[in-house]
Amino acid sequence: MDKALLTSGINVEIVIDDKVVSAREGEPLAAVFLRQDDIHTRTSNPSSEPRAPFCMMGVCFECVVHVDGVGTVRSCQQSVRDGMRVVRQDQPKRLK
């Protein structure tokens, strides 16, 4: 999936885990994740398995991330804006 969900709007840059990423202002943040090589937004607790956007309507909570220092933001419900800083919600790996 390499196309932007929105074809109009201003090109902006956001930061995901210290990596600068191009996006369209106003598009859902989850759509930006789905264009990345690593689409995971969080890892589960306690298994540390990767999770990614699924329902795209705010019901499943698989797409939660930290945005500008605020945690548990559903990326499918968050519109992209220039300069936003996003961090995945990765759980620490647990010993089995």
Side-chain angles (χ1 to χ4, degrees):
M1 193 179 282
D2 60 352
K3 291 190 170 193
L5 185 60
L6 296 179
T7 56
S8 62
I10 301 166
N11 285 325
V12 296
E13 289 184 340
I14 65 172
V15 177
I16 298 176
D17 293 334
D18 298 322
K19 177 184 173 192
V20 176
V21 175
S22 295
R24 294 276 188 167
E25 187 172 68
E27 78 175 310
L29 179 57
V32 178
F33 272 98
L34 292 173
R35 289 196 306 272
Q36 305 308 302
D37 291 334
D38 179 2
I39 67 169
H40 96 278
T41 53
R42 69 179 190 92
T43 54
S44 65
N45 187 6
S47 70
S48 297
E49 293 294 320
R51 299 289 190 243
F54 180 71
C55 74
M56 296 301 286
M57 62 184 188
V59 176
C60 72
F61 285 78
E62 295 291 356
C63 69
V64 294
V65 293
H66 297 278
V67 176
D68 295 328
V70 178
T72 315
V73 174
R74 290 174 285 179
S75 63
C76 66
Q77 301 290 298
Q78 178 69 52
S79 297
V80 168
R81 64 185 178 284
D82 192 35
M84 69 189 321
R85 300 189 66 79
V86 182
V87 178
R88 289 177 170 95
Q89 283 194 354
D90 286 337
Q91 298 294 323
K93 299 267 188 225
R94 294 188 184 234
L95 298 175
K96 294 183 181 185

